[in-house]
Amino acid sequence: MRDTPVNKAQLIDAVATRTGLAKSDASAAVESVLTNITETLQRGGTVSLVGFGAFSVSQRSARMGRNPNSGDLISIPASRRPKFKAGKQLKDAVNSLAFPGA
């Protein structure tokens, strides 16, 4: 059986419990981390958390595509996309779990 996804409020609760911080302090810490990652990516930088992974930005070129409803050709503009590459320790931790039916 798989666990349900963890939302931000549950993550804050977990941080507060694990660290002994008040919920308001844990919330401020989680928000600060997320804000710093976002701002670094907005500037085109990379955030590397050794053992966990790296957040970066990839460039997507402009291209032609099709409108799935009408089939008409449309122009898709160039864009930047956030990207995450898991680190070895995270991969090893995830793969060390025994998955039912695997």
Side-chain angles (χ1 to χ4, degrees):
M1 180 173 184
R2 293 183 183 201
D3 289 329
T4 57
V6 175
N7 63 31
K8 191 189 291 187
Q10 292 166 325
L11 178 61
I12 290 167
D13 288 343
V15 169
T17 300
R18 207 169 259 216
T19 62
L21 291 172
K23 264 189 172 178
S24 59
D25 293 335
S27 177
V30 169
E31 288 293 337
S32 178
V33 168
L34 297 177
T35 298
N36 279 288
I37 290 171
T38 301
E39 289 173 351
T40 300
L41 295 178
Q42 284 175 327
R43 293 190 304 269
T46 299
V47 177
S48 180
L49 305 172
V50 177
F52 183 75
F55 296 90
S56 61
V57 176
S58 67
Q59 302 290 332
R60 294 191 60 174
S61 301
R63 62 195 187 281
M64 295 302 291
R66 292 223 179 251
N67 179 328
N69 293 327
S70 66
D72 294 339
L73 280 174
I74 57 172
S75 175
I76 301 170
S79 63
R80 298 180 335 149
R81 301 279 186 215
K83 173 168 88 165
F84 176 76
K85 182 176 180 191
K88 182 175 179 357
Q89 288 176 342
L90 178 59
K91 289 179 191 177
D92 290 347
V94 169
N95 286 317
S96 70
L97 298 175
F99 290 105

